[in-house]
Amino acid sequence: MNKNIQEIFLISSNEDLINLFQKILKEKGKVYTFNKGRHVIEKILQSPPGLIILDTEIDDISYQEMIKLIKGENVYLHIPLIICLNIDVLQKIKELLDPEFEIDDFILKPIKEIEALVRIELTTSKASRFLDANPLTKLPGNTTIMQKIQGLIDAKKEFALGYCDLDFFKSYNDKYGFSRGDEVLMMTSRIIVNTVKEHCGAEGFVGHIGGDDFVFIVPIPKAEEVCKNITKNFDAIIPYFYDPVDRKQGFIISKNRKGKIEKFPLMAISIGVVFNRGNLKHYGEASQIAVNLKKAAKKSPKSSYILDRRNYGAQDR
Amino acid sequence: MRDLRTERKGKILSVDNLPTLPPVLDEVTKMIEDENTSPKQIADVISKDQVLSAKVLKMVNSPVYGFPGRITTIHHALVLLGINVIRGIIISTAVFDVITSSMVGLWEHSLCTSTISKIIAEQINLKDPEEYAIAGLLHDLGKVIIAIQLPEEKKEIEEVQKKEDISYLEAEKKILGFGHDRVNAWLCDHWKLPLPTKEALAYHHNPSLAKFYPDFANVVHVADCISKVLEVGFSGDEIVPLLQKKSFLSLGLTFKKLAKIMDQVLENIIEVLTFIPK
């Protein structure tokens, strides 16, 4: 308890409220106050604080819109966000129960000092227990992925599950080092997240199994379009993660698994997609098929995807 | 002098809410609200505004996203940031309280230099002409920042420039002790923009200083000169800088190629001029 949070953004135009929080949070970290919402968004996106406290009574932008903007991205999802509201707002807010509306807690006005303090403590320590998320990309990890897939199977929902991994990632890591490898993984996560979001909105899901393995879940009719755009965007951007010489020649020289010097092409992304039309019984079955399809896609050194035609062709063609 | 310089540098780097011109912001806002516009279309419009482009590149290259200094084009930035983050940037961006004709002039000059940079890159077969377009667009960003962060000094620069009939760059150096090219270099480091972009922005007045990506500085230098000859927009003075022979030659330019470039430029210039309404 009483862990120090480095930076706290307090967004409110109410002076009493600001003064109260200044007092409460004195020991917790450096408090930056903003009396307008719009201006602070770019700041939050650019250099995220350790905690955000948002007064729903800011008047230049709706607090709902602010929350959606911040919590809609994997890279900001982990920032604890507490809203301060009046009882009438609370009564109206059905959104508080909506899983899409990701606030971490709320504090009711008029604010009681001790209550606010405890809630802030709880929220920040809860946030640090956000353990399943991948530490690099902050995307949901294995437990969440498994539950999500099994949940859809049990509910007899149709879905497409894509498994992605990178070709020649290991040789890139060997040559450029781990931190450059992490850059590539971050970039890959953003491409998959944004492509899935662009085509499927809230219906899509992206998880990070670990290393260069990612999964996504999308509605069946969107699967091919999503695969096409992920491979296209990946191929367009990956050259920029190589040094100019390697980018120009189109390959790198690095050691293979046996320690021998070898030429490796620029990285590519391979995707295997399995469809559930009620045919799958178990999470393991879904991932097994998708992994095998991905392995088949990997046979080509270029970015490619393979869809599970057995369960796709029958009804979509 | 040293202290004043440090103080001014600090003030410049603390810029946190760059305003832009209303027409561009309105246009992008409209496009973002319309679900039928593709990210590519939005990228094309953002690529016409130096402030929005700078903000987008600053965001995508920030350590938050985990790959600083890698992304040079707005289109790639949009793929990686997504529409949601772009919306955030747009909502946060204010417009200038007062728009002077010199400011509109600077926007036109920047856009024109961007168009010419792209055409040069295409004509001499450089890879990814889009990257050169962005470098051309941002080459005078330092002037915008100086106007926002050091408005008093900016007035003095303009007075000295007129009174002594010297170039704007010389006037900047006289008043501030440094020019917008130096401001560009500071910003690129501070915002972790990629090296090719930095060299173009920092050395467009003196391209022979570019060590790693001379093509970028050379292209923007030549484009800046052409843009001034054509008198499209207004970048602070009417003095056309001396075209560096070395730049011209190292890009493999010839007068025949230049003529072809000029044809292309004149074809495209109308579109440039109609983009920013006065």
Side-chain angles (χ1 to χ4, degrees):
Chain A
M1 284 289 265
N2 219 357
K3 225 178 70 199
N4 202 277
I5 318 161
Q6 284 171 344
E7 290 188 341
I8 301 161
F9 282 10
L10 172 59
I11 307 152
S12 172
S13 50
N14 179 331
E15 246 177 63
D16 294 338
L17 189 141
I18 292 172
N19 289 337
L20 181 70
F21 274 111
Q22 293 271 24
K23 192 175 143 213
I24 296 174
L25 295 167
K26 209 167 49 200
E27 307 278 300
K28 293 285 301 176
K30 193 157 169 39
V31 183
Y32 298 84
T33 56
F34 305 89
N35 44 31
K36 292 281 174 207
R38 299 174 77 102
H39 183 171
V40 74
I41 293 170
E42 191 184 348
K43 239 194 188 74
I44 293 171
L45 299 178
Q46 187 76 44
S47 45
L51 170 68
I52 300 170
I53 299 172
L54 174 65
D55 183 353
T56 60
E57 283 177 298
I58 45 159
D59 53 9
D60 63 325
I61 178 173
S62 84
Y63 66 93
Q64 291 101 324
E65 188 169 14
M66 277 202 67
I67 294 165
K68 257 189 243 155
L69 267 166
I70 296 160
K71 289 288 192 167
E73 302 296 325
N74 61 313
V75 292
Y76 307 113
L77 195 57
H78 63 287
I79 308 170
L81 190 154
I82 301 173
I83 60 173
C84 305
L85 37 59
N86 283 313
I87 187 78
D88 58 317
V89 183
L90 186 61
Q91 277 156 348
K92 271 186 290 179
I93 291 191
K94 274 220 301 281
E95 298 106 288
L96 279 180
L97 306 169
D98 183 345
E100 296 290 317
F101 193 78
E102 311 204 42
I103 62 160
D104 296 273
D105 207 343
F106 66 88
I107 300 174
L108 207 55
K109 294 179 193 173
I111 291 165
K112 292 192 203 77
E113 198 176 315
I114 181 68
E115 185 192 331
L117 189 64
V118 174
R119 278 181 189 264
I120 289 165
E121 285 287 353
L122 286 176
T123 307
T124 49
S125 71
K126 231 186 313 186
S128 66
R129 287 202 299 263
F130 212 85
L131 275 180
D132 183 46
N134 183 283
L136 177 70
T137 59
K138 314 284 194 299
L139 285 169
N142 283 316
T143 313
T144 316
I145 295 169
M146 224 162 68
Q147 284 167 352
K148 176 89 187 171
I149 296 171
Q150 194 61 51
L152 289 170
I153 291 176
D154 292 346
K156 305 212 180 325
K157 290 235 170 81
E158 296 196 342
F159 64 87
L161 166 69
Y163 254 73
C164 322
D165 87 357
L166 306 182
D167 307 353
F168 315 112
F169 179 66
K170 193 186 168 301
S171 40
Y172 180 91
N173 250 342
D174 287 346
K175 168 149 194 192
Y176 286 104
F178 284 108
S179 72
R180 291 282 289 270
D182 283 352
E183 289 187 5
V184 172
L185 297 178
M186 280 300 283
M187 179 274 280
T188 308
S189 79
R190 291 303 296 176
I191 287 182
I192 299 174
V193 165
N194 284 326
T195 310
V196 167
K197 209 187 280 171
E198 188 193 331
H199 292 279
C200 318
E203 283 182 292
F205 168 87
V206 180
H208 189 172
I209 295 173
D212 60 331
D213 289 309
F214 295 88
V215 295
F216 61 79
I217 300 172
V218 296
I220 292 175
K222 308 273 180 161
E224 181 148 22
E225 194 67 18
V226 167
C227 290
K228 247 186 216 160
N229 280 304
I230 290 175
T231 50
K232 188 184 85 188
N233 289 329
F234 184 87
D235 289 346
I237 294 173
I238 194 65
Y240 294 90
F241 288 71
Y242 288 84
D243 290 347
V245 180
D246 292 339
R247 188 189 314 166
K248 213 168 176 185
Q249 63 189 13
F251 59 81
I252 62 168
I253 300 194
S254 182
K255 280 185 191 140
N256 68 13
R257 280 170 212 271
K258 288 175 189 148
K260 272 194 167 169
I261 298 291
E262 202 184 311
K263 258 194 208 175
F264 293 94
L266 299 192
M267 280 179 275
I269 189 164
S270 298
I271 313 173
V273 185
V274 60
F275 298 102
N276 178 44
R277 294 191 182 278
N279 47 303
L280 299 172
K281 300 275 172 306
H282 189 262
Y283 158 75
E285 200 182 344
S287 64
Q288 193 56 49
I289 299 173
V291 167
N292 287 340
L293 290 167
K294 183 203 74 189
K295 277 187 189 148
K298 234 174 144 66
K299 288 204 174 108
S300 154
K302 298 215 168 94
S303 287
S304 60
Y305 58 89
I306 294 184
L307 308 177
D308 180 12
R309 291 289 171 189
R310 281 169 302 179
N311 293 308
Y312 185 63
Q315 286 166 55
D316 282 54
R317 295 204 144 182
Chain B
M1 197 64 201
R2 179 97 218 144
D3 279 339
L4 199 55
R5 181 192 169 95
T6 314
E7 191 191 312
R8 283 173 175 153
K9 180 178 174 182
K11 216 164 177 185
I12 279 166
L13 293 183
S14 70
V15 62
D16 70 344
N17 206 17
L18 270 180
T20 186
L21 305 183
V24 194
L25 197 63
D26 290 348
E27 169 105 14
V28 185
T29 309
K30 238 187 280 157
M31 290 184 91
I32 283 176
E33 300 308 326
D34 178 0
E35 282 185 8
N36 293 319
T37 41
S38 69
K40 176 86 176 68
Q41 286 170 300
I42 295 171
D44 286 344
V45 176
I46 292 179
S47 303
K48 293 193 163 95
D49 182 85
Q50 51 181 325
V51 163
L52 292 181
S53 293
K55 285 181 170 219
V56 167
L57 289 182
K58 176 185 170 199
M59 185 71 77
V60 77
N61 285 299
S62 80
V64 182
Y65 285 89
F67 36 84
R70 297 266 163 241
I71 305 302
T72 49
T73 71
I74 301 301
H75 185 213
H76 292 165
L78 237 71
V79 167
L80 294 164
L81 292 174
I83 297 297
N84 189 38
V85 172
I86 300 298
R87 278 193 65 219
I89 295 174
I90 299 295
I91 289 174
S92 278
T93 303
V95 295
F96 281 102
D97 295 332
V98 185
I99 298 167
T100 60
S101 61
S102 76
M103 212 177 290
V104 175
L106 184 58
W107 249 253
E108 287 176 336
H109 168 72
S110 301
L111 186 49
C112 182
T113 308
S114 165
T115 309
I116 299 171
S117 301
K118 189 175 172 201
I119 291 169
I120 296 174
E122 282 166 352
Q123 287 294 328
I124 59 173
N125 292 319
L126 291 171
K127 244 180 133 189
D128 304 307
E130 220 53 59
E131 290 185 74
Y132 295 85
I134 283 296
L137 183 75
L138 300 181
H139 80 285
D140 272 347
L141 188 69
K143 288 183 187 167
V144 184
I145 313 267
I146 291 171
I148 301 296
Q149 297 300 95
L150 305 168
E152 293 304 315
E153 287 88 337
K154 192 211 171 210
K155 271 186 214 143
E156 289 177 50
I157 293 167
E158 285 174 338
E159 278 160 23
V160 166
Q161 189 271 321
K162 271 193 212 124
K163 211 169 87 195
E164 300 186 17
D165 195 26
I166 50 177
S167 77
Y168 197 80
L169 181 66
E170 284 171 301
E172 284 175 335
K173 285 181 179 165
K174 226 173 183 167
I175 300 299
L176 299 173
F178 51 82
H180 62 278
D181 50 351
R182 179 55 58 89
V183 173
N184 284 341
W186 291 337
L187 287 170
C188 289
D189 284 340
H190 194 56
W191 293 354
K192 302 185 167 47
L193 299 193
L195 194 53
T197 315
K198 180 189 166 183
E199 289 203 326
L201 267 58
Y203 303 131
H204 69 276
H205 284 289
N206 202 347
S208 60
L209 293 177
K211 291 273 175 307
F212 301 98
Y213 298 89
D215 284 350
F216 278 82
N218 286 328
V219 165
V220 174
H221 170 70
V222 174
D224 187 25
C225 292
I226 296 177
S227 183
K228 285 194 167 169
V229 171
L230 292 174
E231 292 183 1
V232 177
F234 181 69
S235 66
D237 60 48
E238 278 159 359
I239 301 165
V240 178
L242 192 66
L243 177 68
Q244 309 264 337
K245 195 173 160 193
K246 249 175 140 179
S247 282
F248 194 79
L249 295 178
S250 76
L251 289 174
L253 283 171
T254 57
F255 282 103
K256 209 173 142 196
K257 279 185 191 163
L258 187 63
K260 238 176 131 185
I261 289 168
M262 292 306 284
D263 286 346
Q264 284 264 334
V265 169
L266 294 174
E267 246 174 67
N268 283 281
I269 217 77
I270 303 293
E271 195 200 335
V272 173
L273 287 179
T274 46
F275 188 74
I276 302 170
K278 283 182 191 170

